[in-house]
Each structure stands twice: as C-alpha cells, then as structure tokens.
Amino acid sequence: KMHEVLVVYQQIEMQFDEDGKMIPFEKDAVHTLSYDEKPGIQAKGNVAPDKAPTLGHGQMGRDYEYRRYGTVSLLAGIDLLNGQVTGLVRETHTSEDFIDFLKEIDKKYDQGLKIHIILDNHSVHTSKKVMAFLSKKPGRFNFTFTPKHASWLNLIESFFSKLARQALKHLRVSSKEALIKH
C-alpha cells in the first residue's frame, strides 16, 4: 500500500517540468487530493481576561483555567497540484459528512475530470452509504488508501500539524461558533 501511495505522488511530480511549471493536461485529466479528518478540535474560552505584557514581563499572561464549549471536526482535502484546501467543519465525521465533502469536491472540479483521493482506512470511507454515493458517479472518484499506522504518508497530515501549531494551539474563543468561523 505504501508503494501505491508513493506511485501517486510520483505521478503528480511528473506533471511539472524542471522549472516547477505545470505541464498542461493532454486528456484524462486527474486532480489528486490528500484527505483526512481532524476530530476533537476544542473550543476553549478564557475564564479570566488575558493580561497584557509589561516591561518586567514581556509576554501576555493567561490563566491556566478555561471554559469548554465543545468540539468540532475538520474534514479537509488539499489539492496536490495547486495547494488549495477544501474543508468542512462538522460536529461529527460520519459517512454522511464524508459524502458531503465528496459532493463539495464534485462541485468544485469540472465534470470531465477524474478525482483521485489519498486517504486512510477509516470505516467511514468505505461504508455502504459512501459506496452507494460512489456508484452514482462511476469513474469520477478513485481512492488510494494509506497503510495502517502510516498516516505520515498522507500529506494532509502536514497541513493539520501546521494548523494545530499556528492557528489552534493558544486560541481562545467565546463559543463553538467562533471557533468554526476562525
């Protein structure tokens, strides 16, 4: 399975010339996405207001206690040709949520294009509901599954890591809706 994923990445690399410019598609154009879910993103709010930095203490002060407003899941796919991220924020990450993501992708790309998705072996991705949806779109979607315990092969994981470090780590919000908007 690792070989299959690496072959997909090699095929993407072959779509660019030595200067990094995309080679125009001839026919049978394919867009490849790396997809995964980031569940359990917590909406946390301050109990006490943050303290502004002072001359003696050069950084913001924050109470260690916080309020919990709930969690959300981010379902996201990054287009490996152009770097665009398509995401949905949901309360859950069920088959219906995954189908909604596939519908978003289906609307985003021209109907003549094939869509190749690299994703993990989560049971949601191969459920009866998902298979029924895919059967209505024959040839439109093709899945390549990463091996178990090899999430590092899925490039969306790098995006999630950066998102967690830069946008979520110290974030305080006033509600779950504020987190979703952020």
Side-chain angles (χ1 to χ4, degrees):
K1 286 188 174 186
M2 181 177 76
H3 179 74
E4 291 173 20
V5 173
L6 294 175
V7 166
V8 172
Y9 291 147
Q10 185 66 41
Q11 290 169 343
I12 294 166
E13 182 181 345
M14 291 168 45
Q15 294 181 28
F16 293 90
D17 65 16
E18 57 276 351
D19 296 325
K21 295 179 184 164
M22 191 182 298
I23 300 168
F25 291 116
E26 296 298 322
K27 57 181 179 176
D28 296 330
V30 175
H31 268 273
T32 305
L33 287 91
S34 172
Y35 169 86
D36 203 3
E37 302 93 2
K38 182 166 183 58
I41 301 172
Q42 269 195 32
K44 297 187 273 187
N46 284 341
V47 172
D50 290 337
K51 296 177 184 172
T54 63
L55 291 175
H57 186 68
Q59 58 191 12
M60 176 184 74
R62 175 174 281 166
D63 190 13
Y64 65 90
E65 291 186 45
Y66 56 87
R67 282 193 182 92
R68 293 184 178 151
Y69 297 113
T71 62
V72 295
S73 294
L74 173 62
L75 293 75
I78 185 168
D79 186 318
L80 298 178
L81 288 176
N82 61 27
Q84 290 182 344
V85 175
T86 302
L88 294 176
V89 178
R90 296 294 169 94
E91 297 281 328
T92 59
H93 55 282
T94 63
S95 296
E96 291 83 5
D97 297 322
F98 182 55
I99 291 169
D100 287 345
F101 176 82
L102 293 175
K103 288 177 181 176
E104 283 292 314
I105 295 298
D106 190 40
K107 284 190 287 187
K108 184 174 182 173
Y109 296 103
D110 293 336
Q111 289 303 307
L113 294 174
K114 294 180 183 176
I115 301 169
H116 197 114
I117 302 177
I118 298 170
L119 65 170
D120 61 20
N121 286 295
H122 192 299
S123 60
V124 164
H125 304 151
T126 56
S127 70
K128 289 179 183 179
K129 291 179 182 177
V130 170
M131 292 299 123
F133 171 78
L134 293 175
S135 69
K136 296 175 188 169
K137 304 266 183 190
R140 176 74 163 153
F141 295 97
N142 181 27
F143 293 168
T144 297
F145 294 101
T146 58
K148 290 182 180 178
H149 310 295
S151 61
W152 53 271
L153 274 173
N154 199 344
L155 294 178
I156 192 74
E157 296 294 345
S158 298
F159 170 77
F160 285 155
S161 174
K162 191 168 188 168
L163 176 76
R165 285 191 320 271
Q166 292 185 346
L168 299 174
K169 187 174 183 180
H170 299 290
L171 180 67
R172 293 289 195 258
V173 293
S174 57
S175 66
K176 191 187 300 190
E177 291 73 28
L179 173 64
I180 292 168
K181 184 177 179 184
H182 181 77

